[in-house]
Amino acid sequence: MNIVIVGSGYVGLVTGACLAEKGQHVTCVDISESRIEGLKRGVVPIYEPGLDEIIDRNAKVGRLEFTTSLPDAMKKAQVYCIAVGTPPDEDGSADLSHVLAVAREIGQHMTERSVIINKSTVPVGTADRVRAAVDAELARRGVQIEFDVVSNPEFLKEGVAIKDFMEPDRIVLGVESGHARQVMDELYAPFAQEGARIIHMRVRDAEMTKYAANAMLATRISFMNEIAGLCERLGVDVESVREGISADPRIGTRFIRPGAGYGGSCLPKDVRALARMAHSAGFDPVLLSAVEHRNDQQKSRLYEMVSSELGDDLRGKTVAVWGLAFKPGTDDMREAPSITLVESLLKAGALVRAYDPEATETARRAMPQDPQAEGTLRFMTEQYEAVEGADALVLVTEWPQFRAPDFARLRTQMRYPVVIDGRNQYQPDEVREMGFRYQSVGRP
Ligand SMILES: NC(=O)c1ccc[n+]([C@@H]2O[C@H](COP(=O)([O-])OP(=O)(O)OC[C@H]3O[C@@H](n4cnc5c(N)ncnc54)[C@H](O)[C@@H]3O)[C@@H](O)[C@H]2O)c1
């Protein structure tokens, strides 16, 4: 099958590369010329483990191509997958301008019966808006061409995106015509043959499924952060509680780690967009509002811990930050808790020495540039270099290389021995025995 993927970001590139790997002929389109030029030369614009090799292998045999021209790409295919961004609008709703721009362009150039797959995360009812946008362009051209709009939300996790795409828990297909179902089943046949569970449903149901999934994950995190806050006040160790509740198969082990709050390109914006959807539908999303509120508070926790150790005036103080990406395994900085922390540290006048194994470049662009802030942010190239002369070390993102640091070395390097562990990676007693003041989330 020939397929066009529009939008060559985290989702579009992974989708395109993995479908090519499964034997489809894929053309990835993006409006960013530099991105496409780079991809043509084999430069992958994002960090996603394993993606480079798949792109390289499939590009070499001609199964994966890149272009900035959607009309050119459309000449070879009748299946178009929209994977452009849906960033939050000012009111928290999903900004559909990119999705609808692509829909209009498809309508301007479609020549044969087509299937339009929406893989971007979009509010319920967006497929109807995509259909209307395409219809309007067809009407302008005075042509009648049949087409379907399918919802096929993506559930991959950055950092393990290749595995998630290749071995999905489920593939959700919102399809409402026999033709669309046949095309989608054919597209995913190689996955179904390997045992992937394909769940067919109506388009609106599929659109909602994506939001419900992310809202559930965010709820679990905020719930556990709330329990952690309570544990801190009651002299309880949240890690024992976590172990105790996760043994219940109804609860399980995933997404119940307390920490620095959730970030990333999906959970924050999707919770907000779902809440907006609820408001627009005249329904008060009390739970979603609380989930978001708890997360906003949690993102400030690490700064509160630093200031409880060093005070609120951090002029002349140096704070080392380990990990900037919103989670390990990615260079994605969107809504990362590190941004909230660094912003507060700079406002309080600190010198921040930050280190991340993969996200330095994206962090340079994402970090606040507040001219009022008195502090200074420096990006370091090595984790121990960041700690030199520091008055506190804050672990924000739990990359594996931070899991078992050389504490003796830290003790000699740091000016003042404070460790703030935003991910409960270390054993409180052990760290304290080595002479550190130590704070973590939800542990006495
Ligand atoms: N990143 C994730 O982990 C993830 C997971 C599941 C779902 N999603 C959803 O998938 C969608 C894409 O997310 P992403 O993280 O890949 O975004 P991204 O920002 O990494 O990539 C989007 C790409 O689309 C391109 N683009 C924008 N307008 C275009 C147009 N008119 N024509 C061609 N290209 C255009 C941009 O240049 C960019 O390269 C979002 O709706 C997101 O919510 C993301």
Side-chain angles (χ1 to χ4, degrees):
M1 186 185 288
N2 287 324
I3 174 163
V4 175
I5 313 276
V6 196
S8 303
Y10 288 89
V11 168
L13 270 184
V14 169
T15 303
C18 291
L19 288 176
E21 183 80 355
K22 291 284 188 189
Q24 316 292 6
H25 182 275
V26 180
T27 309
C28 284
V29 180
D30 204 282
I31 41 168
S32 163
E33 294 205 0
S34 59
R35 185 160 276 227
I36 292 298
E37 278 317 306
L39 282 162
K40 282 181 178 167
R41 283 184 280 112
V43 182
V44 178
I46 54 168
Y47 173 72
E48 183 58 51
L51 183 59
D52 305 37
E53 296 99 88
I54 301 186
I55 289 182
D56 183 54
R57 191 163 50 239
N58 287 280
K60 276 194 179 127
V61 296
R63 266 201 308 267
L64 184 58
E65 295 181 88
F66 302 99
T67 178
T68 50
S69 169
L70 177 55
D72 281 354
M74 286 176 68
K75 287 179 192 148
K76 286 184 253 167
Q78 286 73 49
V79 179
Y80 314 122
C81 174
I82 304 178
V84 296
T86 47
D89 229 333
E90 273 163 23
D91 65 357
S93 61
D95 173 359
L96 293 180
S97 57
H98 304 295
V99 170
L100 296 176
V102 175
R104 282 193 294 275
E105 206 176 347
I106 291 175
Q108 285 154 13
H109 300 282
M110 186 192 279
T111 53
E112 287 175 63
R113 178 167 194 173
S114 308
V115 173
I116 301 170
I117 305 168
N118 203 352
K119 209 168 232 324
S120 299
T121 302
V122 290
V124 175
T126 300
D128 297 336
R129 296 183 63 185
V130 167
R131 167 168 291 287
V134 176
D135 270 336
E137 294 301 328
L138 294 177
R140 223 188 302 276
R141 290 165 55 199
V143 294
Q144 277 189 329
I145 303 169
E146 258 189 277
F147 68 95
D148 290 279
V149 184
V150 168
S151 170
N152 171 211
E154 182 50 59
F155 298 99
L156 63 78
K157 299 183 286 298
E158 287 174 20
V160 285
I162 303 295
K163 184 171 187 299
D164 282 351
F165 198 95
M166 289 301 211
E167 300 159 36
D169 307 318
R170 79 296 207 190
I171 294 166
V172 168
L173 297 181
V175 280
E176 290 179 9
S177 83
H179 176 71
R181 182 170 173 141
Q182 194 191 334
V183 168
M184 295 308 292
D185 286 351
E186 192 188 324
L187 181 65
Y188 283 114
F191 298 85
Q193 278 157 12
E194 287 170 14
R197 179 168 175 212
I198 298 192
I199 306 173
H200 297 92
M201 58 181 76
R202 293 184 321 144
V203 171
R204 293 174 83 86
D205 304 346
E207 289 171 336
M208 185 59 155
T209 299
K210 173 65 192 175
Y211 280 103
N214 276 354
M216 168 66 97
L217 298 174
T219 301
R220 286 171 68 94
I221 295 172
S222 274
F223 170 81
M224 214 51 199
N225 282 331
E226 186 147 312
I227 294 295
L230 197 50
C231 286
E232 277 166 25
R233 282 154 186 82
L234 298 178
V236 174
D237 184 339
V238 74
E239 290 302 323
S240 304
V241 175
R242 184 172 66 79
E243 205 186 337
I245 63 171
S246 66
D248 182 336
R250 293 172 302 178
I251 295 173
T253 56
R254 314 290 304 275
F255 277 77
I256 55 165
R257 282 184 183 278
Y262 60 76
S265 65
C266 293
L267 298 196
K269 88 170 166 58
D270 292 349
V271 169
R272 251 177 266 144
L274 186 56
R276 273 311 308 165
M277 254 183 275
H279 284 297
S280 307
F283 183 74
D284 185 10
V286 278
L287 188 55
L288 296 175
S289 305
V291 166
E292 197 187 342
H293 185 55
R294 168 60 56 219
N295 197 55
D296 288 344
Q297 289 186 335
Q298 199 67 19
K299 280 181 159 185
S300 307
R301 272 301 287 142
L302 297 184
Y303 176 73
E304 286 166 14
M305 290 184 200
V306 174
S307 65
S308 75
E309 294 288 345
L310 304 179
D312 267 333
D313 182 356
L314 297 181
R315 283 174 295 184
K317 298 275 185 346
T318 300
V319 179
V321 174
W322 276 1
L324 298 168
F326 87 90
K327 67 172 182 180
T330 182
D331 61 349
D332 199 335
M333 282 294 297
R334 287 177 278 190
E335 307 217 25
S338 66
I339 298 175
T340 313
L341 170 69
V342 169
E343 194 167 38
S344 304
L345 292 173
L346 294 179
K347 269 203 187 110
L351 166 62
V352 180
R353 293 167 69 92
Y355 169 72
D356 187 285
E358 294 294 340
T360 304
E361 284 318 307
T362 41
R364 270 187 218 283
R365 297 192 291 273
M367 279 299 172
Q369 318 273 339
D370 179 1
Q372 306 295 321
E374 291 191 38
T376 309
L377 171 60
R378 291 207 188 117
F379 292 99
M380 300 295 151
T381 52
E382 202 275 324
Q383 74 185 79
Y384 290 99
E385 188 195 2
V387 178
E388 199 60 59
D391 296 285
L393 163 64
V394 189
L395 175 80
V396 186
T397 315
E398 69 280 31
W399 287 91
Q401 71 189 73
F402 302 142
R403 235 166 248 164
D406 181 344
F407 280 105
R409 185 172 171 189
L410 291 183
R411 191 74 185 77
T412 59
Q413 282 186 300
M414 293 177 70
R415 187 159 57 185
Y416 191 63
V418 172
V419 173
I420 308 287
D421 177 357
R423 302 289 175 179
N424 291 0
Q425 293 291 291
Y426 313 131
Q427 290 307 320
D429 293 345
E430 289 173 19
V431 183
R432 287 186 188 122
E433 266 164 31
M434 281 181 282
F436 290 90
R437 293 182 61 81
Y438 176 76
Q439 292 199 41
S440 54
V441 184
R443 296 193 286 182

